[in-house]
Amino acid sequence: MTINWQKEVEARKEELLEDLKNLLRVNSERDDSKATSDAPFGPGPRDALKHMLAYGKRDGFVVKNVDNYAGHIDLGEGEETLGIFGHMDVVPAGDGWATDPYEPVIKDGKIFARGSSDDKGPSMAAYYAMKIIKELNLKLSKKVRFVVGSDEESGWGDMAYYFEHEKKPDFGFSPDAEFPIINGEKGNVSLALRFKGDNAGDYVLKSFVSGLRENMVPGTATATLEVPNEEAAVQMEEAFYRFVEANPVSGSIEAENTYVKIELVGKGAHGASPQSGINAGSFLALFLDKYQFIGSAKQFIHVATAYVHEDFYGQKIGVAHEDEKMGKLTMNAGLFFFKENGTEKENFINLNFRFPKGITVDELEHTLFTLMKEEGASVTRGERVMEPHYVPMEDPLVATLLQVYEDHTGEKGYEQIIGGGTYGRLLKRGVAYGAMFPNYTDTMHQANEFMSLDDLFRATAIYADAIYRLAK
């Protein structure tokens, strides 16, 4: 039986696009301040999860909501289950958007909105792939389960809870990365450098704030401080504009008597590729490092400058490591917080590491602890630790997915290993598969995020073919 998958997508593309627009309108940023038993990660992720599951009910699938943590949409029956993992939560929109991030706009063949490429657009492509198979009444020998998450961008608490109540699929993929395939992912851990809040010198750091999430390169940074006198404030203002002119950043500085406020703008990016962004937090620390702060404020600024600034591979702190297959360790300084008289819990620099095989979390922590002890800072480990993950090329799952990609694109498939973490690693035989095509423009976790409509529809056809071949 020959199926023209592209034709089936074409017949449904307006419906698909309308459903995607409505899903993108749901602001699904995690908000712990509004978390309840009914909304474990805040109302936004819950509402987006329920919105996606409602599509499944509307279209006649078997649907289950697991206490608003996660849910699933089922197709077919069988002893084995093919799992597809998408997520409805998004990173904070941040600044720099040309349009409302939660009112999707179609322009130049692209749909712009937060979540369009990560991960509502790809999730909708995978869902419509299932919908096509259902509407064509194609026979399957395996169950297909689309698992919908709501906390992928933070702590994966959704999946931890979900799998306490539901059995894991036997194999599967996540539409949350790139084609041809992602069959390897580096390990992932965050280590926080913590500082006290004392500083009482001629220059006093009142506050320093930069970053939205540990897995985002900070695009903006703000500091407020007190300087010795008005002349020092004027001199700092002049120095700041010279600094901005000499570096790939922009910003503003305001002085009122001896109080100064600085705002600096860099470029946000995904924390798995810190080298592709311009870290506003570390650049602001670099500017302040030449001033005579003392105590913990000096330590905070110095550490950010000496060990963090423009070091994407952990070389300055002595943890650089490269594996022949998995590549280099990367380090992203995603969060900078300092408050005068704050505690070590409040004052920190969060370093997110994506590490290959050959180096352990214990080794990372020990090296950092030894170095920071000399700098007067402490180190704490984040709750979530992910070890490196790899599914061999000869696995039938990988082989089938690559063959589908080749058949639809005419291009040779190949394996890829990334620093980003996807739900594909939830399964021993789990990978990430699309929906971004080679040479795409990566706007994930950035302002003006978009997905190409041609890529959206092409991915839908690939997903439909892949699901059918894996489950028929």
Side-chain angles (χ1 to χ4, degrees):
M1 180 180 182
T2 302
I3 302 170
N4 187 330
W5 299 107
Q6 289 80 7
K7 180 180 178 182
E8 297 298 335
V9 173
E10 182 72 21
R12 297 165 176 83
K13 69 177 187 179
E14 295 303 323
E15 181 187 357
L16 186 163
L17 201 52
E18 188 62 27
D19 282 348
L20 176 57
K21 286 180 182 177
N22 289 328
L23 184 61
L24 290 168
R25 290 187 175 105
V26 181
N27 180 339
S28 52
E29 298 175 15
R30 177 170 173 163
D31 187 349
D32 290 339
S33 69
K34 297 180 180 178
T36 65
S37 59
D38 181 63
F41 309 111
R46 175 203 61 193
D47 293 348
L49 169 65
K50 295 175 75 172
H51 193 108
M52 188 71 213
L53 295 179
Y55 288 150
K57 292 179 181 178
R58 176 197 67 188
D59 296 329
F61 290 95
V62 176
V63 176
K64 184 176 182 180
N65 184 336
V66 181
D67 299 329
N68 290 334
Y69 280 82
H72 59 243
I73 300 170
D74 282 353
L75 172 66
E77 291 293 340
E79 293 184 4
E80 285 188 287
T81 299
L82 163 64
I84 303 165
F85 293 83
H87 67 90
M88 296 296 103
D89 60 307
V90 297
V91 297
D95 301 321
W97 285 78
T99 60
D100 182 341
Y102 294 106
E103 182 51 51
V105 172
I106 295 177
K107 182 181 179 181
D108 299 327
K110 307 177 183 74
I111 183 164
F112 291 82
R114 176 56 91 218
S116 55
S117 63
D118 185 17
D119 182 43
K120 293 176 180 177
S123 290
M124 189 60 67
Y127 172 72
Y128 261 78
M130 288 177 61
K131 191 171 186 287
I132 289 170
I133 292 170
K134 182 178 185 297
E135 292 176 351
L136 293 179
N137 294 312
L138 299 177
K139 292 183 179 181
L140 305 178
S141 65
K142 301 177 181 66
K143 176 184 287 186
V144 180
R145 171 165 286 180
F146 181 30
V147 181
V148 186
S150 65
D151 187 39
E152 194 271 352
E153 299 292 3
S154 297
W156 290 30
D158 55 344
M159 291 296 106
Y161 186 91
Y162 177 80
F163 286 123
E164 289 175 358
H165 298 80
E166 299 293 329
K167 182 181 177 181
K168 281 191 175 184
D170 297 282
F171 62 103
F173 67 86
S174 175
D176 190 19
E178 306 167 13
F179 289 117
I181 202 167
I182 303 294
N183 58 315
E185 298 181 12
K186 295 176 185 176
N188 188 332
V189 68
S190 286
L191 299 174
L193 316 180
R194 299 195 176 276
F195 306 82
K196 296 177 182 178
D198 58 295
N199 65 134
D202 291 338
Y203 288 81
V204 178
L205 185 60
K206 297 291 186 179
S207 69
F208 188 116
V209 177
S210 182
L212 298 170
R213 292 279 176 85
E214 62 185 37
N215 60 351
M216 300 172 69
V217 176
T220 61
T222 303
T224 57
L225 50 143
E226 187 174 2
V227 301
N229 49 55
E230 291 187 31
E231 182 181 357
V234 172
Q235 292 174 347
M236 179 176 281
E237 187 173 3
E238 294 172 348
F240 177 77
Y241 286 115
R242 289 196 298 271
F243 178 84
V244 167
E245 187 174 350
N247 289 281
V249 294
S250 59
S252 63
I253 182 169
E254 298 177 6
E256 184 176 346
N257 299 321
T258 60
Y259 287 89
V260 177
K261 180 179 180 180
I262 302 173
E263 295 183 353
L264 191 142
V265 179
K267 177 188 176 185
H270 197 299
S273 304
Q275 68 278 11
S276 65
I278 299 172
N279 194 311
S282 74
F283 268 97
L284 182 53
L286 178 67
F287 171 72
L288 294 175
D289 193 42
K290 62 185 176 182
Y291 294 97
Q292 298 302 309
F293 295 93
I294 67 170
S296 296
K298 179 179 178 63
Q299 294 163 352
F300 176 88
I301 293 169
H302 174 69
V303 166
T305 302
Y307 300 109
V308 173
H309 179 63
E310 294 200 312
D311 183 9
F312 311 118
Y313 306 106
Q315 295 169 324
K316 295 177 183 178
I317 61 176
V319 297
H321 178 74
E322 184 171 3
D323 174 78
E324 183 178 355
K325 182 176 284 291
M326 302 197 89
K328 293 182 178 181
L329 171 149
T330 62
M331 180 183 82
N332 177 55
L335 297 169
F336 299 76
F337 285 97
F338 187 92
K339 182 172 68 173
E340 183 186 17
N341 300 321
T343 66
E344 287 185 309
K345 184 177 180 180
E346 297 171 303
N347 297 342
F348 63 91
I349 301 171
N350 186 288
L351 303 179
N352 180 241
F353 295 91
R354 312 295 173 104
F355 59 97
K357 293 179 180 180
I359 189 169
T360 68
V361 174
D362 287 343
E363 289 172 332
L364 287 171
E365 187 173 24
H366 177 73
T367 301
L368 202 54
F369 172 82
T370 302
L371 181 63
M372 288 300 109
K373 188 176 181 180
E374 298 178 359
E375 297 290 344
S378 61
V379 179
T380 58
R381 182 189 297 191
E383 294 181 2
R384 184 177 63 165
V385 177
M386 296 181 176
E387 298 297 335
H389 172 78
Y390 181 73
V391 182
M393 287 280 284
E394 57 268 22
D395 187 290
L397 169 68
V398 176
T400 300
L401 293 177
L402 286 177
Q403 187 61 57
V404 173
Y405 171 81
E406 292 178 1
D407 291 346
H408 281 259
T409 65
E411 300 173 358
K412 180 65 178 175
Y414 51 88
E415 73 173 352
Q416 295 185 96
I417 296 167
I418 62 168
T422 76
Y423 281 155
R425 69 190 306 145
L426 288 165
L427 306 178
K428 185 176 181 180
R429 295 182 61 218
V431 299
Y433 189 54
M436 304 301 140
F437 290 86
N439 302 316
Y440 75 103
T441 301
D442 183 3
T443 56
M444 294 182 182
H445 295 200
Q446 300 176 42
N448 303 311
E449 177 184 350
F450 70 81
M451 185 168 186
S452 159
L453 296 184
D454 286 344
D455 287 353
L456 175 69
F457 300 137
R458 184 163 54 149
T460 305
I462 290 175
Y463 288 147
D465 194 358
I467 293 168
Y468 184 53
R469 292 195 205 186
L470 291 169
K472 69 180 179 179

